[in-house]
Amino acid sequence: MHELAVTESILAISDKHAKESGAAKVTSINLVIGRLSSIVDDSIQFYWDIISNESICKGAILNFERRPARLHCNVCSNDYEIESELQPCPQCGSPDIFVKSGEEFFVDSIEIEK
Amino acid sequence: MNSIRVPIVEKILSANDQLAAQNRAFLVCKNIFSINIMASPGAGKTSFILETIYGLKDKMKVGVIEGDTAAVTIDADKIIQAGMPAVQINTGGNCHLDAVMVAGGINQLPLDDIQLLIIENVGNLVCPAAFDLGTDINILIASVPEGDDKPYKYPAIYRGIDVLILNKMDLLPYISFRPDYFTQGVQILNPGLTFFPVSCTTGAGIPAWLSWLETKVLNSNK
Protein backbone atom coordinates (compact mmCIF):
# COMPACT_ATOMS: atom_id res chain seq x y z
CA MET A 1 0.00 0.00 0.00
CA HIS A 2 2.92 2.41 0.34
CA GLU A 3 3.96 1.89 -3.27
CA LEU A 4 3.01 5.47 -4.18
CA ALA A 5 5.51 6.87 -1.66
CA VAL A 6 8.09 4.37 -2.89
CA THR A 7 7.48 5.28 -6.53
CA GLU A 8 7.80 8.99 -5.74
CA SER A 9 11.16 8.30 -4.08
CA ILE A 10 12.38 6.30 -7.08
CA LEU A 11 11.44 9.22 -9.33
CA ALA A 12 13.14 11.80 -7.08
CA ILE A 13 16.38 9.78 -6.90
CA SER A 14 16.45 9.04 -10.65
CA ASP A 15 15.59 12.61 -11.56
CA LYS A 16 18.37 14.02 -9.35
CA HIS A 17 21.05 11.71 -10.76
CA ALA A 18 19.87 12.17 -14.37
CA LYS A 19 20.18 15.95 -14.06
CA GLU A 20 23.58 15.71 -12.39
CA SER A 21 24.77 13.54 -15.29
CA GLY A 22 23.47 15.97 -17.92
CA ALA A 23 20.98 13.49 -19.32
CA ALA A 24 18.52 14.43 -22.05
CA LYS A 25 16.47 11.34 -21.37
CA VAL A 26 16.31 8.39 -18.97
CA THR A 27 15.68 5.10 -20.78
CA SER A 28 15.62 2.66 -17.88
CA ILE A 29 15.90 2.43 -14.11
CA ASN A 30 17.37 -0.63 -12.42
CA LEU A 31 15.97 -1.48 -9.00
CA VAL A 32 17.10 -4.14 -6.56
CA ILE A 33 14.44 -5.48 -4.20
CA GLY A 34 14.97 -8.32 -1.73
CA ARG A 35 12.47 -11.05 -0.96
CA LEU A 36 11.99 -9.71 2.58
CA SER A 37 10.87 -6.27 1.34
CA SER A 38 7.11 -6.11 0.95
CA ILE A 39 6.80 -4.38 -2.38
CA VAL A 40 4.51 -5.16 -5.31
CA ASP A 41 6.17 -4.60 -8.71
CA ASP A 42 2.90 -4.12 -10.57
CA SER A 43 1.75 -1.28 -8.33
CA ILE A 44 5.04 0.58 -8.73
CA GLN A 45 4.78 0.26 -12.52
CA PHE A 46 1.20 1.52 -12.40
CA TYR A 47 2.09 4.62 -10.34
CA TRP A 48 5.26 5.15 -12.35
CA ASP A 49 3.42 5.58 -15.64
CA ILE A 50 1.34 8.35 -14.08
CA ILE A 51 3.82 10.28 -11.95
CA SER A 52 6.82 10.19 -14.32
CA ASN A 53 4.81 11.69 -17.16
CA GLU A 54 6.03 15.27 -16.69
CA SER A 55 9.63 14.41 -15.85
CA ILE A 56 12.92 13.64 -17.55
CA CYS A 57 12.18 9.98 -16.69
CA LYS A 58 9.05 9.86 -18.82
CA GLY A 59 8.83 6.51 -20.64
CA ALA A 60 11.75 4.96 -18.74
CA ILE A 61 11.50 1.20 -18.23
CA LEU A 62 11.61 -0.07 -14.66
CA ASN A 63 13.71 -3.22 -14.28
CA PHE A 64 13.22 -5.15 -11.05
CA GLU A 65 16.00 -7.42 -9.88
CA ARG A 66 14.42 -9.61 -7.22
CA ARG A 67 16.93 -11.09 -4.79
CA PRO A 68 16.11 -14.14 -2.68
CA ALA A 69 16.42 -14.19 1.10
CA ARG A 70 19.70 -15.92 1.99
CA LEU A 71 19.97 -17.47 5.44
CA HIS A 72 22.77 -19.11 7.37
CA CYS A 73 22.24 -21.71 10.09
CA ASN A 74 24.35 -20.92 13.17
CA VAL A 75 24.18 -24.55 14.34
CA CYS A 76 25.14 -26.65 11.29
CA SER A 77 26.49 -23.82 9.05
CA ASN A 78 24.06 -24.70 6.27
CA ASP A 79 23.35 -21.85 3.82
CA TYR A 80 19.90 -21.81 2.27
CA GLU A 81 17.51 -19.58 0.37
CA ILE A 82 13.86 -18.82 0.95
CA GLU A 83 11.57 -18.44 -2.02
CA SER A 84 8.22 -18.59 -0.27
CA GLU A 85 7.60 -19.09 3.45
CA LEU A 86 10.16 -18.45 6.12
CA GLN A 87 11.41 -21.72 7.63
CA PRO A 88 13.99 -23.00 10.11
CA CYS A 89 17.12 -24.71 8.79
CA PRO A 90 15.95 -27.44 6.36
CA GLN A 91 19.05 -29.50 7.21
CA CYS A 92 19.01 -29.62 11.02
CA GLY A 93 15.71 -27.90 11.92
CA SER A 94 17.30 -25.21 14.08
CA PRO A 95 15.66 -21.75 14.26
CA ASP A 96 19.04 -20.24 15.22
CA ILE A 97 19.44 -18.44 11.90
CA PHE A 98 21.33 -15.43 10.59
CA VAL A 99 19.67 -13.50 7.74
CA LYS A 100 22.49 -12.70 5.29
CA SER A 101 20.49 -10.89 2.63
CA GLY A 102 17.03 -10.33 1.24
CA GLU A 103 16.29 -6.84 2.57
CA GLU A 104 17.74 -4.94 -0.40
CA PHE A 105 15.66 -1.98 -1.45
CA PHE A 106 17.61 0.48 -3.60
CA VAL A 107 18.03 2.17 -6.98
CA ASP A 108 21.08 0.43 -8.45
CA SER A 109 21.58 2.50 -11.60
CA ILE A 110 19.89 4.37 -14.42
CA GLU A 111 20.45 4.25 -18.19
CA ILE A 112 20.51 7.68 -19.80
CA GLU A 113 20.90 9.33 -23.22
CA LYS A 114 22.67 12.65 -23.57
CA MET B 1 21.97 6.81 -29.71
CA ASN B 2 23.81 4.73 -27.12
CA SER B 3 22.61 4.82 -23.59
CA ILE B 4 25.04 5.40 -20.73
CA ARG B 5 24.78 3.57 -17.43
CA VAL B 6 24.94 5.81 -14.36
CA PRO B 7 25.61 3.87 -11.14
CA ILE B 8 23.60 5.14 -8.17
CA VAL B 9 23.08 2.58 -5.38
CA GLU B 10 20.84 4.77 -3.23
CA LYS B 11 18.27 3.42 -0.77
CA ILE B 12 14.80 4.12 -2.11
CA LEU B 13 13.52 5.65 1.12
CA SER B 14 16.74 7.53 1.88
CA ALA B 15 14.94 10.90 2.04
CA ASN B 16 12.69 9.58 4.82
CA ASP B 17 15.71 8.10 6.59
CA GLN B 18 17.45 11.49 6.60
CA LEU B 19 14.40 13.22 8.06
CA ALA B 20 14.06 10.45 10.64
CA ALA B 21 17.67 11.10 11.67
CA GLN B 22 16.76 14.78 12.19
CA ASN B 23 13.80 13.78 14.39
CA ARG B 24 16.07 11.48 16.38
CA ALA B 25 18.69 14.18 16.94
CA PHE B 26 16.02 16.71 17.94
CA LEU B 27 14.39 14.39 20.48
CA VAL B 28 17.75 13.45 22.00
CA CYS B 29 18.52 17.16 22.32
CA LYS B 30 15.20 17.65 24.14
CA ASN B 31 15.98 14.73 26.45
CA ILE B 32 12.88 12.81 25.35
CA PHE B 33 12.91 9.02 25.04
CA SER B 34 10.71 8.00 22.11
CA ILE B 35 8.95 4.84 20.99
CA ASN B 36 7.12 3.92 17.80
CA ILE B 37 4.30 1.43 18.36
CA MET B 38 3.23 -0.65 15.39
CA ALA B 39 0.57 -3.36 15.15
CA SER B 40 -2.31 -4.60 13.05
CA PRO B 41 -5.72 -2.94 13.62
CA GLY B 42 -7.29 -4.26 16.81
CA ALA B 43 -4.13 -5.66 18.42
CA GLY B 44 -4.61 -3.31 21.36
CA LYS B 45 -2.26 -0.39 20.65
CA THR B 46 -4.37 2.26 22.35
CA SER B 47 -5.21 0.01 25.34
CA PHE B 48 -1.51 -0.77 25.73
CA ILE B 49 -0.58 2.93 25.57
CA LEU B 50 -3.23 3.74 28.19
CA GLU B 51 -1.90 1.00 30.49
CA THR B 52 1.58 2.45 30.02
CA ILE B 53 0.44 6.00 30.77
CA TYR B 54 -1.49 4.96 33.91
CA GLY B 55 1.46 2.91 35.11
CA LEU B 56 3.94 5.78 34.70
CA LYS B 57 1.77 8.79 35.52
CA ASP B 58 3.31 9.45 38.94
CA LYS B 59 6.82 9.10 37.55
CA MET B 60 6.91 10.97 34.27
CA LYS B 61 4.93 13.00 31.76
CA VAL B 62 4.15 11.20 28.52
CA GLY B 63 3.27 12.83 25.18
CA VAL B 64 1.43 10.82 22.54
CA ILE B 65 1.18 11.18 18.77
CA GLU B 66 -1.75 9.27 17.32
CA GLY B 67 -1.61 8.32 13.65
CA ASP B 68 -4.90 7.56 11.98
CA THR B 69 -6.02 7.22 8.39
CA ALA B 70 -9.16 9.29 8.95
CA ALA B 71 -10.08 12.44 10.86
CA VAL B 72 -11.30 10.63 13.97
CA THR B 73 -9.99 11.69 17.36
CA ILE B 74 -11.23 8.67 19.35
CA ASP B 75 -7.73 7.53 20.29
CA ALA B 76 -6.33 11.00 21.05
CA ASP B 77 -9.40 11.81 23.17
CA LYS B 78 -8.75 8.75 25.35
CA ILE B 79 -5.16 9.86 25.96
CA ILE B 80 -6.20 13.42 26.83
CA GLN B 81 -8.85 12.02 29.21
CA ALA B 82 -6.03 10.09 30.87
CA GLY B 83 -4.36 13.43 31.56
CA MET B 84 -1.55 13.44 29.01
CA PRO B 85 -0.97 15.68 25.97
CA ALA B 86 -1.87 14.06 22.66
CA VAL B 87 -1.74 15.11 19.02
CA GLN B 88 -3.75 13.48 16.29
CA ILE B 89 -2.17 13.09 12.85
CA ASN B 90 -4.57 12.32 10.04
CA THR B 91 -2.57 10.57 7.31
CA GLY B 92 -5.32 11.29 4.78
CA GLY B 93 -5.78 7.64 3.90
CA ASN B 94 -2.07 6.82 3.89
CA CYS B 95 -1.25 3.44 5.38
CA HIS B 96 1.67 4.56 7.57
CA LEU B 97 3.26 7.48 9.37
CA ASP B 98 6.47 8.89 7.91
CA ALA B 99 9.21 11.08 9.38
CA VAL B 100 7.73 14.32 8.01
CA MET B 101 4.30 13.72 9.57
CA VAL B 102 5.95 12.90 12.89
CA ALA B 103 8.05 16.08 12.79
CA GLY B 104 4.79 18.04 12.41
CA GLY B 105 3.28 16.20 15.39
CA ILE B 106 6.32 16.65 17.63
CA ASN B 107 6.15 20.43 17.23
CA GLN B 108 2.59 20.52 18.59
CA LEU B 109 3.51 18.84 21.89
CA PRO B 110 4.72 20.61 25.06
CA LEU B 111 8.24 19.25 24.63
CA ASP B 112 9.74 20.83 27.72
CA ASP B 113 7.23 18.98 29.93
CA ILE B 114 7.51 15.44 28.61
CA GLN B 115 10.15 12.77 29.21
CA LEU B 116 8.60 10.03 27.06
CA LEU B 117 7.05 10.27 23.59
CA ILE B 118 4.83 7.45 22.37
CA ILE B 119 3.88 7.36 18.70
CA GLU B 120 0.95 5.14 17.76
CA ASN B 121 1.44 4.20 14.13
CA VAL B 122 -1.37 3.36 11.71
CA GLY B 123 -2.71 -0.17 12.21
CA ASN B 124 -0.86 -2.14 9.53
CA LEU B 125 1.85 -4.83 9.52
CA VAL B 126 3.36 -3.99 6.13
CA CYS B 127 3.96 -0.31 5.42
CA PRO B 128 5.07 1.12 8.81
CA ALA B 129 8.02 -1.30 8.75
CA ALA B 130 9.60 0.57 5.83
CA PHE B 131 9.44 4.08 7.31
CA ASP B 132 11.85 5.00 10.10
CA LEU B 133 10.30 7.74 12.25
CA GLY B 134 13.42 8.59 14.24
CA THR B 135 12.33 7.07 17.56
CA ASP B 136 14.76 5.48 20.01
CA ILE B 137 12.99 2.13 19.76
CA ASN B 138 10.41 0.40 17.59
CA ILE B 139 7.83 -1.85 19.19
CA LEU B 140 5.43 -4.34 17.66
CA ILE B 141 2.28 -5.41 19.46
CA ALA B 142 1.14 -8.81 18.24
CA SER B 143 -1.95 -10.40 19.76
CA VAL B 144 -3.03 -13.98 20.30
CA PRO B 145 -6.24 -13.84 18.17
CA GLU B 146 -4.25 -12.72 15.10
CA GLY B 147 -2.71 -16.19 14.89
CA ASP B 148 0.73 -17.71 15.37
CA ASP B 149 1.80 -17.41 11.72
CA LYS B 150 2.27 -13.63 11.59
CA PRO B 151 6.10 -13.63 11.84
CA TYR B 152 6.16 -15.90 8.78
CA LYS B 153 3.75 -13.73 6.81
CA TYR B 154 5.11 -10.30 7.76
CA PRO B 155 8.87 -10.83 8.16
CA ALA B 156 9.91 -7.22 7.49
CA ILE B 157 8.14 -5.78 10.54
CA TYR B 158 9.58 -8.49 12.83
CA ARG B 159 13.08 -7.79 11.50
CA GLY B 160 13.08 -4.10 12.37
CA ILE B 161 11.78 -4.04 15.95
CA ASP B 162 13.52 -3.72 19.32
CA VAL B 163 10.68 -4.99 21.52
CA LEU B 164 7.85 -7.43 20.90
CA ILE B 165 4.65 -7.37 22.96
CA LEU B 166 2.25 -10.31 22.69
CA ASN B 167 -1.10 -8.98 23.90
CA LYS B 168 -4.38 -10.73 24.84
CA MET B 169 -2.57 -13.60 26.58
CA ASP B 170 -5.78 -14.13 28.59
CA LEU B 171 -7.37 -15.53 25.39
CA LEU B 172 -4.75 -18.26 24.96
CA PRO B 173 -7.00 -21.06 26.39
CA TYR B 174 -9.69 -20.30 23.80
CA ILE B 175 -7.63 -19.95 20.62
CA SER B 176 -5.47 -22.43 18.72
CA PHE B 177 -2.30 -20.36 19.01
CA ARG B 178 0.97 -22.34 19.19
CA PRO B 179 3.42 -20.26 21.27
CA ASP B 180 6.36 -22.44 20.14
CA TYR B 181 5.61 -21.94 16.45
CA PHE B 182 5.19 -18.18 16.97
CA THR B 183 8.45 -17.78 18.91
CA GLN B 184 10.36 -19.93 16.41
CA GLY B 185 9.44 -17.47 13.63
CA VAL B 186 10.44 -14.55 15.84
CA GLN B 187 13.75 -16.17 16.73
CA ILE B 188 14.68 -16.75 13.07
CA LEU B 189 13.97 -13.12 12.18
CA ASN B 190 15.18 -11.32 15.29
CA PRO B 191 17.31 -13.46 17.65
CA GLY B 192 17.29 -12.39 21.30
CA LEU B 193 14.44 -9.91 20.82
CA THR B 194 13.12 -8.36 24.06
CA PHE B 195 9.72 -9.95 24.57
CA PHE B 196 6.79 -9.22 26.93
CA PRO B 197 3.66 -11.40 26.90
CA VAL B 198 0.86 -9.27 28.39
CA SER B 199 -2.88 -8.85 28.78
CA CYS B 200 -4.25 -5.31 28.84
CA THR B 201 -7.53 -6.79 30.15
CA THR B 202 -6.13 -8.55 33.23
CA GLY B 203 -2.96 -6.46 33.59
CA ALA B 204 -0.75 -9.55 33.49
CA GLY B 205 2.77 -8.86 32.27
CA ILE B 206 2.32 -5.07 32.31
CA PRO B 207 4.49 -4.44 35.43
CA ALA B 208 7.48 -6.18 33.78
CA TRP B 209 7.08 -3.98 30.69
CA LEU B 210 6.72 -0.80 32.79
CA SER B 211 9.79 -1.59 34.81
CA TRP B 212 11.85 -2.22 31.64
CA LEU B 213 10.60 0.99 30.01
CA GLU B 214 11.15 3.13 33.11
CA THR B 215 14.77 2.00 33.28
CA LYS B 216 15.25 2.84 29.59
CA VAL B 217 13.77 6.33 29.99
CA LEU B 218 15.81 7.11 33.13
CA ASN B 219 19.05 5.93 31.51
CA SER B 220 18.41 8.01 28.40
CA ASN B 221 17.73 11.15 30.45
CA LYS B 222 21.04 11.01 32.27
Side-chain angles (χ1 to χ4, degrees):
Chain A
M1 273 297 286
H2 57 294
E3 274 77 2
L4 176 57
V6 165
T7 313
E8 286 169 343
S9 291
I10 293 169
L11 179 61
I13 292 168
S14 305
D15 193 65
K16 179 183 72 181
H17 287 273
K19 283 175 180 158
E20 283 172 9
S21 310
K25 187 180 182 207
V26 178
T27 54
S28 59
I29 294 164
N30 301 313
L31 306 164
V32 175
I33 298 177
R35 164 69 183 79
L36 295 173
S37 295
S38 323
I39 287 295
V40 183
D41 304 7
D42 287 349
S43 303
I44 293 181
Q45 187 73 58
F46 171 77
Y47 285 124
W48 178 258
D49 295 340
I50 298 169
I51 69 168
S52 67
N53 207 23
E54 304 279 311
S55 78
I56 194 172
C57 297
K58 181 184 178 179
I61 296 163
L62 297 179
N63 297 315
F64 296 90
E65 182 191 336
R66 279 275 179 182
R67 293 201 183 155
R70 290 201 170 85
L71 284 78
H72 174 80
C73 175
N74 290 326
V75 174
C76 75
S77 296
N78 178 35
D79 286 306
Y80 64 106
E81 289 185 1
I82 288 180
E83 294 298 338
S84 54
E85 192 176 281
L86 185 72
Q87 58 178 61
C89 176
Q91 190 163 288
C92 75
S94 169
D96 184 6
I97 300 302
F98 174 68
V99 177
K100 292 168 76 178
S101 66
E103 295 174 295
E104 299 84 355
F105 191 48
F106 59 89
V107 181
D108 180 63
S109 60
I110 54 176
E111 314 271 342
I112 62 166
E113 287 177 0
K114 288 199 177 180
Chain B
M1 193 185 291
N2 288 334
S3 65
I4 306 161
R5 185 184 179 90
V6 180
I8 295 177
V9 190
E10 185 166 327
K11 279 176 72 184
I12 290 173
L13 295 174
S14 56
N16 182 75
D17 291 346
Q18 285 167 26
L19 293 164
Q22 286 178 19
N23 286 348
R24 188 169 285 118
F26 180 72
L27 290 168
V28 166
C29 177
K30 286 281 177 188
N31 240 342
I32 296 170
F33 188 76
S34 55
I35 63 184
N36 170 26
I37 296 193
M38 301 177 283
S40 60
K45 291 187 295 299
T46 309
S47 302
F48 182 76
I49 291 170
L50 287 169
E51 287 294 320
T52 304
I53 288 174
Y54 289 133
L56 296 176
K57 70 178 191 303
D58 296 333
K59 294 171 176 164
M60 63 184 77
K61 192 97 170 170
V62 186
V64 179
I65 294 177
E66 289 284 343
D68 261 302
T69 58
V72 288
T73 56
I74 299 167
D75 291 347
D77 292 347
K78 287 179 187 166
I79 306 295
I80 290 165
Q81 270 177 11
M84 297 291 177
V87 175
Q88 181 87 15
I89 299 179
N90 175 7
T91 66
N94 258 339
C95 49
H96 59 271
L97 289 174
D98 63 27
V100 176
M101 295 181 213
V102 166
I106 289 171
N107 288 326
Q108 295 176 52
L109 285 169
L111 298 174
D112 294 333
D113 297 337
I114 64 176
Q115 293 81 51
L116 171 64
L117 170 66
I118 300 178
I119 301 173
E120 179 175 343
N121 216 312
V122 177
N124 183 332
L125 290 181
V126 181
C127 312
F131 293 85
D132 183 12
L133 302 183
T135 52
D136 287 302
I137 56 171
N138 293 303
I139 298 180
L140 175 67
I141 304 180
S143 67
V144 169
E146 289 167 40
D148 52 26
D149 58 356
K150 291 301 165 286
Y152 302 87
K153 289 188 167 176
Y154 301 92
I157 202 155
Y158 280 86
R159 285 285 290 163
I161 52 172
D162 307 292
V163 177
L164 174 64
I165 309 291
L166 180 59
N167 191 20
K168 310 192 189 183
M169 287 299 285
D170 52 311
L171 297 181
L172 205 50
Y174 312 105
I175 288 168
S176 59
F177 182 97
R178 295 160 293 177
D180 291 350
Y181 182 64
F182 178 79
T183 46
Q184 173 188 270
V186 174
Q187 197 190 339
I188 292 173
L189 292 165
N190 202 327
L193 181 62
T194 303
F195 175 51
F196 297 99
V198 308
S199 165
C200 290
T201 303
T202 66
I206 297 290
W209 149 250
L210 290 175
S211 153
W212 182 90
L213 178 61
E214 194 185 344
T215 307
K216 279 278 176 190
V217 176
L218 292 177
N219 287 342
S220 79
N221 288 346
K222 270 177 189 166

